[in-house]
Amino acid sequence: KAGVTQTPRYLIKTRGQQVTLSCSPISGHRSVSWYQQTPGQGLQFLFEYFSETQRNKGNFPGRFSGRQFSNSRSEMNVSTLELGDSALYLCASSGGTSYNEQFFGPGTRLTVL
Amino acid sequence: DQQVKQNSPSLSVQEGRISILNCDYTNSMFDYFLWYKKYPAEGPTFLISISSIKDKNEDGRFTVFLNKSAKHLSLHIVPSQPGDSAVYFCAASGETSGSRLTFGEGTQLTVNP
């Protein structure tokens, strides 16, 4: 079974630009969650999508948004990039209940200059 | 408010010995706990999980212990191998948090040959 894939793997943007990251979950998984990893804040939950609906949201500003398509693939968008948005963005897929293991993709390394 | 804490940023052990990684939590609503291993520039890899109805779960060289009264869990790796060198994260979720995982800060494990 193929794992979680994320594209692109690396991205360099400048302040004020916007960016879209993509995640394809494991086949059959309907839940996709996004996390941000930074050296100072660790792994922080951004949001979760389940069956095309945002089911859970972390404490991030509205510049961070996402969506999920009918095939469970998900995209995350960050508008008006700031230097502090530089991070590893991780996507995880699962069956969707509280007691399912989440399987992570390799991440997208975003650098904002 | 750090609801999941890993108080040891690093741990160094000799090959063949036991590695014990610790994690504390404060939120009584957490009832499912997971351990992940992470190498640089990769996504976290799921290792083992435990639900609050158990106090121990084993999978090969990995055993997780849960002490609910102390709100403490630990991961034992026996015997430790150099390939186990990585950052280990504990994570927690609860029925009310859906698929959202709350992570600790991570512990860098180094296994010396």
Side-chain angles (χ1 to χ4, degrees):
Chain A
K1 202 181 236 188
V4 179
T5 59
Q6 290 186 246
T7 57
R9 292 293 311 277
Y10 302 93
L11 208 45
I12 299 175
K13 292 285 187 179
T14 56
R15 278 183 301 173
Q17 287 187 307
Q18 74 160 15
V19 67
T20 299
L21 314 181
S22 180
C23 171
S24 292
I26 291 170
S27 177
H29 283 182
R30 294 165 65 192
S31 168
V32 174
S33 297
W34 289 89
Y35 293 83
Q36 180 196 65
Q37 185 184 24
T38 58
Q41 298 294 317
L43 275 150
Q44 301 284 316
F45 174 80
L46 280 153
F47 32 66
E48 180 211 359
Y49 285 86
F50 182 84
S51 293
E52 301 178 65
T53 301
Q54 188 181 86
R55 189 164 71 167
N56 216 331
K57 190 176 187 308
N59 298 323
F60 279 81
R63 300 186 297 107
F64 292 82
S65 63
R67 58 178 175 167
Q68 187 179 34
F69 302 94
S70 58
N71 61 359
S72 292
R73 189 177 71 84
S74 176
E75 286 182 348
M76 185 191 115
N77 184 275
V78 188
S79 62
T80 320
L81 284 166
E82 300 176 0
L83 295 178
D85 296 334
S86 295
L88 180 67
Y89 290 89
L90 293 158
C91 156
S93 80
S94 74
T97 75
S98 305
Y99 308 106
N100 288 153
E101 294 81 11
Q102 291 194 36
F103 297 92
F104 284 82
T108 295
R109 169 69 64 185
L110 171 65
T111 302
V112 182
L113 303 176
Chain B
D1 175 27
Q2 191 66 28
Q3 298 184 63
V4 177
K5 285 192 71 62
Q6 293 176 255
N7 290 314
S8 298
S10 63
L11 175 68
S12 183
V13 299
Q14 285 299 118
E15 181 179 4
R17 306 295 289 268
I18 184 171
S19 295
I20 300 176
L21 297 105
N22 294 302
C23 179
D24 297 294
Y25 62 97
T26 57
N27 190 336
S28 301
M29 301 301 290
F30 289 149
D31 58 5
Y32 188 61
F33 305 89
L34 309 90
W35 284 94
Y36 286 85
K37 177 169 80 170
K38 188 178 185 300
Y39 296 114
E42 293 184 14
T45 301
F46 169 74
L47 280 175
I48 192 168
S49 62
I50 187 168
S51 78
S52 60
I53 61 173
K54 293 183 159 186
D55 54 20
K56 178 182 172 182
N57 189 25
E58 277 182 273
D59 185 359
R61 296 185 299 113
F62 302 93
T63 303
V64 56
F65 295 92
L66 175 62
N67 182 332
K68 281 181 292 183
S69 61
K71 294 191 176 68
H72 176 82
L73 62 154
S74 60
L75 174 69
H76 292 208
I77 307 173
V78 184
S80 301
Q81 301 172 352
D84 295 330
S85 297
V87 178
Y88 288 77
F89 290 94
C90 71
S93 70
E95 188 173 351
T96 57
S97 59
S99 294
R100 174 179 185 159
L101 293 177
T102 300
F103 283 86
E105 307 94 323
T107 296
Q108 172 70 58
L109 173 66
T110 302
V111 180
N112 301 300

